[in-house]
Amino acid sequence: MKKLFVLVAVTLAVCAHAQDFPAGKPVTIVVPFAAGGPTDRVARDLAEALRKPLGGASVIIDNVPGAGSSIGAAKVARANPDGYTLLLNHIAMATVPTLVRNVPFKVETDFEYLGIVNDVPMTLIAKPSLPATNYKELTAWIAANKGKINLGNAGIGSASHLCGLLYQSATKTEMTPVPYKGTAPAITDLIGGQIDLLCDQSTNTSPQIEAKKVKAYAVTTPKRLTTPLLKDLPTLDEAGLKNFQVTIWHGLYAPKGTPAPVLKKISDALKAALKDADFIKREEALGAVVAADGRIEPEGHKKFVAAEIAKWSPIIKAAGVYAD
């Protein structure tokens, strides 16, 4: 009887907490990257869109960068599972399990999955002096310059690093990686001709493509993009590199053990945010596509991440480059 009383009391407490959530407290979204970057911008747009469906609650951003996103993710994994601390992370959730050998959490079991937020296309760009004018000519240039090609990235674990690894694997071409402390210096050196190629998010490359400061060859999406600036770029698949698809997706997570009623409230709020016209407009301005498929459901999100882990693990292991 005593055990039953305790169980009933706990259940009532959880239900009361869920009913009150969020009860006059701010909800914090941890971003495991520096302020001002693409993921930070997505998080701030999402925070604004979540306020209304969360009953006007304050949603704040906490930037905790480092170790390929694992420091910020670990902070959320250890947080009180009450719904007030969330994580917004990108494709790193699928690469950290391999990229960080001593990762202090388990992606599959230490988080509650809330839904995918968006997909950001990648673009393959080159220094302005590179002679190739289209992707066919670029493949010929790569073949003629094997062993001499520099491929920039924004640091180990960054979107550009991952895209570069996949590109080398798909083309069976080894290039010299040139890591930078962020995308800005990588693009600066690309424009200046210090590096040859870069594969990075459209959120970073579009201004340089529009200003014709770099050469753009292809996008990494299954279909051509509809944005005016990039609509004439072929996909790598149609350009001849079959089945090459990579987007930098973002997902929302809570600590494992967050009560189911609280998770439902957050998940429902996320779905409402993904239909918010202002949020969609802001994401389109970044070159991102707001999620609208089965991945916006927690179970679909979890299955998708598991598939992405299986995709990236052998590629990272073959490269033998780690973040720790």
Side-chain angles (χ1 to χ4, degrees):
M1 183 64 73
K2 185 176 180 180
K3 288 182 179 179
L4 180 60
F5 177 78
V6 171
L7 180 61
V8 171
V10 170
T11 302
L12 290 174
V14 169
C15 291
H17 173 72
Q19 188 173 1
D20 293 340
F21 177 87
K25 291 173 57 179
V27 175
T28 297
I29 297 178
V30 173
V31 176
F33 301 99
T39 301
D40 179 67
R41 281 180 276 174
V42 172
R44 292 178 190 277
D45 287 347
L46 182 63
E48 185 65 32
L50 282 171
R51 286 191 177 100
K52 185 176 179 181
L54 284 177
S58 176
V59 183
I60 61 177
I61 304 300
D62 180 19
N63 296 96
V64 187
S69 85
S70 64
I71 295 176
K75 180 176 181 177
V76 175
R78 296 191 301 264
N80 187 15
D82 57 7
Y84 290 98
T85 304
L86 307 176
L87 171 70
L88 182 81
N89 203 356
H90 65 20
I91 195 173
M93 288 298 273
T95 59
V96 155
T98 309
L99 196 63
V100 180
R101 289 167 292 188
N102 296 308
V103 64
F105 55 82
K106 294 185 182 300
V107 169
E108 300 95 326
T109 57
D110 287 350
F111 298 93
E112 304 286 357
Y113 289 67
L114 292 163
I116 290 291
V117 175
N118 68 10
D119 294 285
V120 181
M122 304 289 283
T123 49
L124 182 63
I125 60 176
K127 62 185 180 182
S129 61
L130 202 143
T133 59
N134 55 49
Y135 187 73
K136 183 178 180 180
E137 292 179 5
L138 177 64
T139 57
W141 180 86
I142 290 173
N145 288 275
K146 284 188 176 181
K148 299 184 290 184
I149 301 170
N150 293 322
L151 178 65
N153 67 64
I156 294 175
S158 66
S160 50
H161 174 235
L162 297 170
C163 188
L165 288 180
L166 188 61
Y167 187 69
Q168 291 178 86
S169 175
T171 59
K172 297 179 173 58
T173 303
E174 189 173 335
M175 303 179 188
T176 302
V178 183
Y180 291 84
K181 292 182 178 179
T183 298
I187 289 183
T188 296
D189 272 9
L190 185 72
I191 293 171
Q194 280 75 44
I195 55 175
D196 301 310
L197 297 172
L198 180 69
C199 182
D200 205 1
Q201 300 175 69
S202 59
T203 49
N204 294 324
T205 62
S206 291
Q208 314 306 328
I209 294 171
E210 185 173 25
K212 301 189 185 303
K213 292 183 177 180
V214 298
K215 286 190 173 180
Y217 292 103
V219 295
T220 64
T221 47
K223 298 179 180 179
R224 286 200 183 200
L225 301 176
T226 58
T227 53
L229 176 63
L230 303 175
K231 64 181 178 62
D232 293 328
L233 285 181
T235 68
L236 279 170
D237 185 85
E238 71 174 281
L241 191 57
K242 295 302 179 184
N243 300 315
F244 189 99
Q245 297 174 16
V246 56
T247 58
I248 302 304
W249 43 267
H250 293 86
L252 193 65
Y253 309 81
K256 187 69 176 179
T258 302
V262 174
L263 291 173
K264 187 176 188 313
K265 276 198 170 186
I266 301 171
S267 180
D268 288 347
L270 176 60
K271 290 174 194 171
L274 298 182
K275 294 179 181 179
D276 182 271
D278 287 338
F279 177 71
I280 293 171
K281 187 175 180 179
R282 289 192 185 102
E283 294 308 286
E284 287 177 344
L286 293 175
V289 179
V290 174
D293 55 17
R295 297 173 303 158
I296 67 173
E297 298 289 347
E299 190 57 36
H301 179 190
K302 190 169 187 176
K303 287 181 180 178
F304 174 70
V305 173
E308 288 284 279
I309 290 173
K311 170 184 174 179
W312 285 103
S313 180
I315 294 168
I316 293 169
K317 287 179 179 177
V321 179
Y322 302 96
D324 61 345

